Amino acid sequence: MTEVTIRPMRAGDAAEVLRIYQAGLDGGHASFETTAPDWAAFDAGRALAYRFVAVDADGAVRGWVAVSPVSSRPVYAGVVEHSVYVDPAARGRGVARLLLDALIVATEAGGVWTIQAGVFPENAASLAVHERAGFRIVGARRRIGRHHGRWRDVVLLERRSPVVD
Ligand SMILES: CC(C)(COP(=O)(O)OP(=O)(O)OC[C@H]1O[C@@H](n2cnc3c(N)ncnc32)[C@H](O)[C@@H]1OP(=O)(O)O)[C@@H](O)C(=O)NCCC(=O)NCCS
């Protein structure tokens, strides 16, 4: 694989980030969402400090990770929910793992103690990536929402930082 590096996401990455987001949604197992937001909505909903992209040696964006707060309550100030999306042409090469590792380092440095994610049980790649990166399965939420008119389960995963105290 060509060398992939991780760097902070910039506004100039918007088109590629949203293209990769839409490609993931089109696969049918990434999210209840079916259409990627525009950049303004994406930008407004995700913490600036914890957005990263994976870039190839030629600078092409191959994947991204970002987080949103889960609650405005102070008790949950250090709990975030993340999304990770990799270009279909770059999957299976460890890009998601690099992004998750970068996210874990950055969030721990910033005092975030829990990262969580909701994953469809059919999303074997995402479950594998998260478990490899140290997430544990909390449980499965049954028929929690409709996707294209069909009720679907969601597996809740979390990684509680062992160093943030
Ligand atoms: C899920 C996704 C992000 C994984 O990205 P990726 O870059 O292909 O994953 P990686 O190559 O980093 O894989 C990391 C680990 O997961 C394993 N893995 C990846 N895909 C797998 C699959 N389909 N089945 C089993 N294991 C898999 C890899 O073997 C690797 O394990 P290893 O470190 O022991 O070798 C990617 O498939 C994607 O973008 N899917 C669409 C969007 C999506 O579903 N996002 C997650 C929403 S919760």
Side-chain angles (χ1 to χ4, degrees), residues 24 29-30 84-87 90-98 117-119 123-126 128-130 132:
H29 293 316
V84 59
Y85 284 72
V86 172
D87 190 331
R91 290 187 191 158
R93 296 198 238 150
V95 173
R97 181 59 192 271
L98 285 175
V119 178
N123 196 343
S126 184
V129 168
H130 286 95
R132 298 273 207 289

Side-chain angles (χ1 to χ4, degrees), residues 20-103:
I20 292 166
Y21 197 172
Q22 188 62 52
L25 297 180
D26 289 344
H29 293 316
S31 170
F32 281 110
E33 305 305 321
T34 53
T35 307
D38 63 16
W39 179 251
F42 182 98
D43 192 36
R46 287 162 183 83
L48 204 48
Y50 307 124
R51 302 177 189 178
F52 298 97
V53 290
V55 293
D56 266 342
D58 62 1
V61 175
R62 293 303 189 188
W64 60 268
V65 67
V67 311
S68 305
V70 300
S71 168
S72 57
R73 293 177 62 193
V75 67
Y76 295 129
V79 183
V80 297
E81 178 149 2
H82 80 287
S83 309
V84 59
Y85 284 72
V86 172
D87 190 331
R91 290 187 191 158
R93 296 198 238 150
V95 173
R97 181 59 192 271
L98 285 175
L99 286 162
L100 287 180
D101 287 348
L103 178 68

